[in-house]
Amino acid sequence: MNFETISVSVDRRGVAALTLRRHAQHNALSGLMIRELTAVAGLLAEDRAVRAVVLTGEGESFCAGGDLNWMKEQIAATREERIAEARRLALMLKALRDLSKPLVARVNGQAYGGGVGLISVCDAAIAVEGARFGLTETRLGLIPATISPYVAARIGPVAFLRFATSARLFDTAVARDIGLVSRIVAPEALDEAVEAEITPYFAASPNAVAAAKALAHALAPPIDDKVIEMTLTRLADTWETPEAGEGISAFLEKRKPGWVLADTKA
């Protein structure tokens, strides 16, 4: 499997290591990475030799959200183009969530926006001490719409409301309390903890694991085409507001947007 923004390797037990490989950009999601993750999800789903998948990031970050150049492209895009691009992200997340194999996040560092979305589609997440998290879209005048069905399903509507509206950052202790991550470990214990998480699956029937995972999703609120289209529409509507224009411009110009009071530390 040869990719530009990710790498995949499968060991003799059938554990696939899926690594985001844009460390210079803190593994931010680009259009190409979204397409490659979608493709690899399909390949892993069809590979009967794969028993479990571990998703992680290269370097010190797990995934810092949307890529800067990808964001710039959205500024010049039409409404239809923005919806199409957001749909690609939504379908990538759905493909990973619906993967019939256990999917465990090895959270090696910070995760913001789309990075939180990636963690949310995993069955479990082991996070390194000191990692930081956030749904930071409202700082840009946007909303975490595309990732919202997965994040809200993971952390619950109350926690989603608090963090999606305020864009506040939170630490691993909070992430564990709200259910985003399963366990917190020191950096030197991260691989051992991930190993402990995936080991039980080898005593379980692969077909039964897949069926149990599908059952768990069937018992949760549905994330179907109707829900996905609703989030895409809401995101497109928000992109067209004056505050989104101001927020994105401020971000690119490395200044505070107009709604931030001069005497605040936001």
Side-chain angles (χ1 to χ4, degrees):
M1 301 179 187
N2 295 316
F3 298 98
E4 185 175 327
T5 66
I6 62 176
S7 67
V8 186
S9 61
V10 182
D11 70 15
R12 60 179 179 78
R13 301 172 302 164
V15 178
L18 173 54
T19 305
L20 310 180
R21 300 195 61 187
R22 303 187 73 232
H23 68 276
Q25 296 79 28
H26 298 281
N27 299 316
L29 292 164
S30 65
L32 177 58
M33 180 181 279
I34 290 169
R35 293 191 295 274
E36 291 189 338
L37 284 170
T38 304
V40 81
L43 292 173
L44 292 172
E46 295 174 0
D47 190 342
R48 294 180 61 85
V50 172
R51 296 286 299 273
V53 181
V54 176
L55 173 64
T56 193
E58 185 179 68
E60 298 181 353
S61 298
F62 179 74
C63 176
D67 176 75
L68 180 60
N69 290 327
W70 185 74
M71 190 73 69
K72 289 178 179 178
E73 291 171 1
Q74 302 314 299
I75 296 174
T78 65
R79 178 183 177 89
E80 291 73 22
E81 289 169 338
R82 288 171 181 159
I83 289 176
E85 193 65 17
R87 183 177 288 108
R88 280 188 278 271
L89 172 59
L91 294 179
M92 179 271 285
L93 292 169
K94 191 173 190 302
L96 288 173
R97 175 185 179 268
D98 293 346
L99 187 66
S100 58
K101 320 296 173 71
L103 178 61
V104 175
R106 178 186 179 275
V107 184
N108 56 304
Q110 64 180 342
Y112 303 126
V116 175
L118 283 174
I119 296 172
S120 297
V121 300
C122 293
D123 305 332
I126 312 299
V128 68
E129 291 174 346
R132 300 280 283 175
F133 308 86
L135 300 171
T136 54
E137 287 83 352
T138 57
R139 293 187 182 187
L140 303 177
L142 298 171
I143 56 175
T146 311
I147 64 174
S148 62
Y150 309 98
V151 180
R154 181 60 164 260
I155 68 176
V158 174
F160 180 76
L161 175 64
R162 182 181 185 220
F163 293 109
T165 56
S166 67
R168 72 183 73 214
L169 302 185
F170 53 97
D171 61 18
T172 49
V174 173
R176 182 178 57 190
D177 288 345
I178 62 178
L180 180 63
V181 304
S182 318
R183 185 179 174 190
I184 307 165
V185 297
E188 63 271 18
L190 183 56
D191 289 332
E192 181 181 354
V194 171
E195 180 66 22
E197 184 65 36
I198 63 175
T199 296
Y201 290 112
F202 294 108
S205 155
N207 287 339
V209 168
K213 184 170 179 176
L215 172 62
H217 290 167
L219 293 172
I223 302 177
D224 53 20
D225 291 345
K226 182 178 180 181
V227 171
I228 291 174
E229 291 302 318
M230 179 271 291
T231 64
L232 302 184
T233 299
R234 289 177 184 252
L235 178 60
D237 290 345
T238 309
W239 263 103
E240 294 171 0
T241 64
E243 285 192 347
E246 165 63 8
I248 298 297
S249 296
F251 174 71
L252 296 176
E253 296 165 11
K254 298 183 179 181
R255 61 174 176 83
K256 293 181 179 180
W259 58 76
V260 177
L261 300 177
D263 58 351
T264 67
K265 296 180 181 180

